[in-house]
Amino acid sequence: MPDNRPPNDTPDTALRGHACIQSYLKSLDNSPGVYRMLNEKSEVLYVGKARSLRMRVSNYARPSGHSARIARMISETTSMMFLTTRTETEALLLEQNLIKQLKPRYNVLLRDDKSFPYILLPKDHAFPQLRKHRGRRSVKGSYFGPFASAGAVNRTLNQLQRVFLLRNCTDSVFHSRTRPCLLYQIKRCSAPCVGYVTEDEYAGLVADAERFLSGKSTRIQAQLAQDMQAASDNMEFERAAALRDRIRALTNVQQSQGVNPRGVTEADVIAIHLEKGQACVQVFFIRANQSWGNRDFYPATGAGAEEPEILEAFLTQFYDGKEPPRLLLLSHELENADLVAAALGERAGRKVELAVPQRGEKAELVENALRNARESLAMRMASTAAQGRLLDGLADAFGLDGPPDRVEVYDNSHIQGTDAVGAMIVAGRDGFIKSQYRKFNIRGDSLTPGDDFGMMKEVLTRRFQRLLKEDPDRQGDTWPDLLLIDGGAGQVGVVAGIMADLGVDDIPVVGVAKGIDRDAGKEEFHRPGARPFALRHNDPVLYFVQRLRDEAHRFAIGTHRAKRAKAVSASPLDDIPGVGAGRKRALLAHFGSAKAVARAGLSDLQAVGGISETLAQVIHDHLNAR
């Protein structure tokens, strides 16, 4: 895709707005492609696609007929860049890649692109484990989803265990069992680990689970009823009772599924509500005639875009890396519906249909999603308003120039210096921004164990050196407006010195100390070069600061516990070159423990499947060197 920018690559800041855009028309043809509009600082204002670059740019060159948002964007434009593509579909895909990379101010941006969980039935084991999966589909097996949240997956897995008795233990636990676990006793597993079910019988349970997740629950229930009657006729009353319990569990699952559409087998229901410049997009996931939960999203609206444009941008960004279903039920008509459908179909490798239903069950599904979007946005706007008042109060209490848009809170956690970690949480006008949380494994070998000052210095140095490298001009939204430190005058003095050494001493720093009695409500606040002060015990700002500090403390302790648990469960086999998870399992299954592996001779090691003579020597030398 060649760059069709005119010969004069240096932006001519003497021309701007309509005149600047007009100057590019003579070098453009009717090829499809992507255009970028830049301001005088060469910052990308907007990325757009076009079936004909010349026709699209000529629209911007007109002096009138634009919305307020587009008029503002045109007035700031001092240069443009162009990339041609073979088709308009390619242009759409390229446009969304550039939007995701550049995050232009006037484009609609989906800020939450977290992957969704699935249910996985692997095909690499005789007795496959039913489990939750998130991320790349690197394991061979059947994937069912997406589900709206991990909670929705866990509830479904819990229900499936009751009905189909599939194991959920890991392969290492499965191979080490000598008697059935508690799940067998409470009738949630068929105990394949100890041979209580044959491979063929377990395969039948797996097939039933797959049929259920594919929407064929009625057929399964009829077959279970037939098997129960046959067992009863043959006087196999224990088996008949077990089948009866499974039928009851399956009935409970079907009743607890909530609204399950009969006429929609597979679809995503997507509705948008726009109010006062803020948008909420609600997505309901329907698979196998079952509702698998819903999620709400709050895309940045590109300084004033309307519903169809926001929804179109949402679809192309939301399904970047996610497989779309065969049907998308939408609340609004799209201007480029055919183009979006073609782009999504190209990604999925099959046809994807977009529909805006007007009547019937599908219209009811869209109306339900629209109602949820409206209610979610109302709650968010109320929460944002309350959060804004707290930030205003924070600015007044700490003498800031204005309410902070981004507050970063830092804390450390360790036990006598071991497994030390630093933690950073972030809060803003939308509350806690958990996608921006960061953890820091303390690397300083020269630090004295328990040196909180030294740990804080390492955390802040790493944090702000990276910021200075990635965004030295502070153009992004990752620079904080306020730092809160868990500590008193000593910690604040150290932090102020660190920030001065890094050349970023213009960011306010406040230390939160627990006061003389170390009671909540008696906190003292410290600022560099100022006397400590306190807030009224019933001041909402004080409660807000306590919440921030407690959240940082929670995150730091959780990170520390995870690191400590990993260290406790670490095995000497983890560090041996050439020994991955599969060979580690084989060694432990053969010898029983890492100690026994260390005591084994070369010939014993070679007797394990997958361990060659060379690798056996490596394992033997590594463990004996220890």
Side-chain angles (χ1 to χ4, degrees):
M1 292 174 286
D3 190 338
N4 260 8
R5 193 174 181 178
N8 180 13
D9 282 344
T10 303
D12 182 3
T13 54
L15 290 177
R16 62 187 304 131
H18 301 290
C20 171
I21 296 172
Q22 182 74 37
S23 67
Y24 287 92
L25 286 175
K26 58 187 177 183
S27 62
L28 295 176
D29 57 21
N30 290 317
S31 301
V34 173
Y35 57 92
R36 280 172 276 182
M37 309 178 84
L38 296 84
N39 64 11
E40 57 190 4
K41 296 180 181 179
S42 295
E43 298 167 343
V44 178
L45 298 171
Y46 184 78
V47 175
K49 65 183 180 304
R51 182 178 302 170
S52 165
L53 285 170
R54 181 177 177 81
M55 291 180 62
R56 178 58 58 86
V57 173
S58 66
N59 289 335
Y60 289 115
R62 289 189 287 107
S64 61
H66 305 291
S67 66
R69 164 176 167 259
I70 299 301
R72 286 198 307 272
M73 179 182 71
I74 292 173
S75 68
E76 295 178 32
T77 301
T78 59
S79 63
M80 296 185 71
M81 295 179 66
F82 305 90
L83 286 167
T84 59
T85 59
R86 291 176 298 179
T87 65
E88 191 180 5
T89 301
E90 282 187 7
L92 175 62
L93 298 176
L94 177 58
E95 175 199 35
Q96 296 308 321
N97 288 336
L98 289 173
I99 290 173
K100 191 173 182 180
Q101 175 187 348
L102 300 173
K103 297 180 172 58
R105 175 186 172 190
Y106 287 98
N107 280 101
V108 176
L109 301 175
L110 175 60
R111 290 172 287 195
D112 186 352
D113 58 352
K114 187 178 180 181
S115 62
F116 289 88
Y118 285 74
I119 286 178
L120 168 62
L121 270 169
K123 299 295 185 182
D124 56 355
H125 198 285
F127 298 95
Q129 166 200 13
L130 186 69
R131 67 175 190 255
K132 179 171 58 181
H133 177 87
R134 192 193 293 270
R136 293 181 57 197
R137 300 189 181 188
S138 55
V139 179
K140 183 180 179 182
S142 299
Y143 293 83
F144 301 94
F147 288 80
S149 64
V153 173
N154 292 334
R155 286 191 296 272
T156 303
L157 287 174
N158 186 34
Q159 294 164 346
L160 291 175
Q161 279 183 295
R162 295 173 181 270
V163 178
F164 302 109
L165 310 179
L166 300 182
R167 72 179 180 97
N168 69 347
C169 58
T170 63
D171 289 348
S172 58
V173 170
F174 176 84
H175 291 298
S176 64
R177 296 295 306 183
T178 57
R179 59 181 182 177
C181 66
L182 179 63
L183 288 177
Y184 173 77
Q185 307 296 337
I186 62 175
K187 300 180 180 179
R188 292 196 184 182
C189 182
S190 54
C193 54
V194 291
Y196 283 17
V197 61
T198 67
E199 186 173 335
D200 289 341
E201 290 170 337
Y202 193 86
L205 296 175
V206 170
D208 284 345
E210 288 182 319
R211 280 194 287 269
F212 174 79
L213 290 168
S214 300
K216 302 173 182 175
S217 57
T218 305
R219 187 187 306 175
I220 296 170
Q221 197 159 5
Q223 184 62 49
L224 288 175
Q226 184 178 337
D227 293 344
M228 180 183 68
Q229 186 61 48
S232 177
D233 294 342
N234 294 331
M235 304 185 71
E236 298 175 1
F237 299 118
E238 287 188 11
R239 183 167 182 270
L243 290 167
R244 178 203 61 202
D245 292 341
R246 288 180 61 192
I247 292 172
R248 286 177 179 174
L250 182 58
T251 303
N252 290 334
V253 170
Q254 293 167 335
Q255 290 175 347
S256 66
Q257 289 282 340
V259 179
N260 291 330
R262 296 181 179 179
V264 181
T265 302
E266 175 187 324
D268 284 351
V269 184
I270 305 174
I272 180 173
H273 179 69
L274 182 65
E275 185 176 341
K276 296 180 181 178
Q278 297 187 50
C280 175
V281 178
Q282 192 78 210
V283 183
F284 279 75
F285 303 98
I286 296 174
R287 300 294 184 274
N289 296 99
Q290 303 167 24
S291 176
W292 284 356
N294 64 295
R295 278 276 301 275
D296 47 1
F297 299 87
Y298 302 92
T301 57
E306 297 299 322
E307 289 98 332
E309 183 180 352
I310 297 171
L311 192 57
E312 180 176 319
F314 174 85
L315 291 175
T316 51
Q317 294 177 47
F318 180 72
Y319 292 109
D320 182 22
K322 302 180 183 73
E323 183 176 339
R326 299 180 185 278
L327 175 63
L328 300 180
L329 299 176
L330 308 179
S331 61
H332 291 72
E333 293 280 0
L334 303 186
E335 182 180 348
N336 301 297
D338 293 343
L339 178 61
V340 173
L344 296 180
E346 186 173 309
R347 284 177 178 168
R350 52 174 167 72
K351 183 180 178 181
V352 175
E353 179 186 355
L354 275 59
V356 182
Q358 302 299 318
R359 61 181 66 85
E361 185 182 39
K362 294 178 180 177
E364 292 175 5
L365 291 172
V366 172
E367 179 57 36
N368 179 53
L370 190 58
R371 183 176 62 255
N372 278 269
R374 189 163 48 246
E375 293 171 355
S376 297
L377 184 59
M379 288 188 290
R380 181 183 177 88
M381 292 174 69
S383 175
T384 301
Q387 187 80 356
R389 289 193 293 270
L390 289 173
L391 293 173
D392 291 339
L394 202 65
D396 293 338
F398 296 154
L400 307 180
D401 294 334
D405 290 323
R406 180 185 176 98
V407 180
E408 293 185 356
V409 191
Y410 291 86
D411 195 8
N412 298 323
S413 183
H414 59 89
I415 295 180
Q416 296 181 342
T418 62
D419 299 318
V421 296
M424 177 192 86
I425 70 153
V426 181
R429 293 197 171 273
D430 294 332
F432 292 117
I433 311 173
K434 295 193 175 182
S435 62
Q436 297 289 312
Y437 286 15
R438 295 293 181 267
K439 56 187 177 182
F440 302 84
N441 288 315
I442 304 299
R443 302 170 182 166
D445 298 329
S446 60
L447 289 179
T448 303
D451 181 4
D452 285 329
F453 291 169
M455 286 188 279
M456 185 60 68
K457 180 177 181 179
E458 178 180 331
V459 168
L460 289 174
T461 300
R462 286 165 55 186
R463 165 65 177 156
F464 283 93
Q465 279 182 344
R466 181 166 184 172
L467 272 180
L468 287 167
K469 179 181 178 181
E470 295 179 348
D471 187 14
D473 297 326
R474 306 193 188 187
Q475 299 297 321
D477 56 1
T478 54
W479 278 87
D481 302 307
L482 172 66
L483 299 185
L484 286 182
I485 308 297
D486 186 18
Q491 281 89 345
V492 169
V494 169
V495 171
I498 295 168
M499 303 297 282
D501 292 341
L502 292 169
V504 287
D505 53 355
D506 57 333
I507 298 176
V509 178
V510 177
V512 185
K514 289 188 177 177
I516 299 175
D517 298 326
R518 300 187 65 79
D519 290 335
K522 297 184 178 180
E523 284 83 358
E524 290 183 346
F525 300 96
H526 299 260
R527 292 201 61 180
R531 296 182 60 182
F533 65 96
L535 298 173
R536 299 190 320 272
H537 72 279
N538 60 348
D539 192 328
V541 175
L542 176 60
Y543 297 143
F544 180 48
V545 173
Q546 289 173 349
R547 282 171 48 212
L548 294 174
R549 181 198 58 199
D550 293 345
E551 174 67 3
H553 196 52
R554 178 201 66 78
F555 185 58
I557 288 177
T559 303
H560 167 71
R561 286 175 177 168
K563 184 177 181 181
R564 194 170 76 239
K566 186 176 180 181
V568 168
S569 62
S571 166
L573 303 180
D574 294 336
D575 301 325
I576 303 176
V579 177
R583 285 171 175 160
K584 178 183 171 183
R585 284 196 300 268
L587 287 166
L588 292 174
H590 186 88
F591 293 103
S593 68
K595 259 185 190 177
V597 177
R599 292 195 298 264
L602 287 173
S603 58
D604 297 326
L605 291 171
Q606 291 176 45
V608 179
I611 306 298
S612 64
E613 181 179 351
T614 303
L615 184 55
Q617 188 68 54
V618 170
I619 296 170
H620 185 272
D621 293 346
H622 182 91
L623 294 177
N624 283 279
R626 290 171 60 90

